[in-house]
Amino acid sequence: APAATDPPVKTQPKYTDAAELRESFMDAINLEKAANDAPEGSLSSALNDIAQDRARQMAAANDAWHIGSGYSETVGSMSSARGVANKGRNAVHHCPDLMECTSFGVGVAQAADGLYYYSIIGEYRNQIAYRALDEVPAPFYIPILAKKG
């Protein structure tokens, strides 16, 4: 007779994606950018993927931290989805570089304990060109031109 086996153990997931909050974050960011005469931003699917991965890592660890990859970034947590408007508007002040960004990635994941972790990363036009040259961009980079003479 075949040996009896134990039923598979069902494990609780460490996080649940909450990417449905992405647009609300972007709307809040653009409200604050408009109030400060800053350029409107839009979501980038490539940056969304990076930000979502970061949010998942934070939710799985129940901790928020900056990863630091050369993107303008703000991260954090909130106790409910109702915090999106406030957190989105504050993001561009917490990381002032985001005020100048035009391309954004937003990631949101809910940890098993119910907290939402978010990552907002931004890229401004000149930053993209520096990446193409494999340079690490500095915030508000200003090129120094040699004088001719």
Side-chain angles (χ1 to χ4, degrees), residues 16-25 52 81 84 108 110 116:
T16 304
D17 282 342
E20 68 276 4
L21 300 176
R22 186 175 284 148
E23 292 286 339
S24 297
F25 261 109
Q52 190 63 40
V84 169
V108 188
Q110 187 176 23
Y116 290 85

Side-chain angles (χ1 to χ4, degrees), residues 70-86:
Y71 292 103
S72 300
E73 173 186 49
T74 189
V75 298
S77 64
M78 55 191 182
S79 58
S80 79
R82 291 178 299 209
V84 169
N86 186 41

Side-chain angles (χ1 to χ4, degrees), residues 6-105:
D6 292 332
V9 176
K10 201 171 196 178
T11 59
Q12 182 74 354
K14 293 187 179 206
Y15 65 84
T16 304
D17 282 342
E20 68 276 4
L21 300 176
R22 186 175 284 148
E23 292 286 339
S24 297
F25 261 109
M26 194 69 243
D27 291 345
I29 290 166
N30 276 328
L31 275 173
E32 197 63 22
K33 286 167 71 68
N36 288 276
D37 296 321
E40 184 176 28
S42 62
L43 291 170
S44 155
S45 60
L47 293 179
N48 282 341
D49 289 345
I50 295 167
Q52 190 63 40
D53 185 56
R54 291 178 179 190
R56 289 172 181 151
Q57 291 174 38
M58 292 184 295
N62 288 319
D63 195 15
W65 69 89
H66 291 277
I67 294 174
S69 64
Y71 292 103
S72 300
E73 173 186 49
T74 189
V75 298
S77 64
M78 55 191 182
S79 58
S80 79
R82 291 178 299 209
V84 169
N86 186 41
K87 298 292 186 177
R89 291 188 78 155
N90 287 333
V92 292
H93 297 291
H94 176 72
C95 178
D97 289 357
L98 290 174
M99 195 67 84
E100 297 304 317
C101 292
T102 54
S103 187
F104 285 84

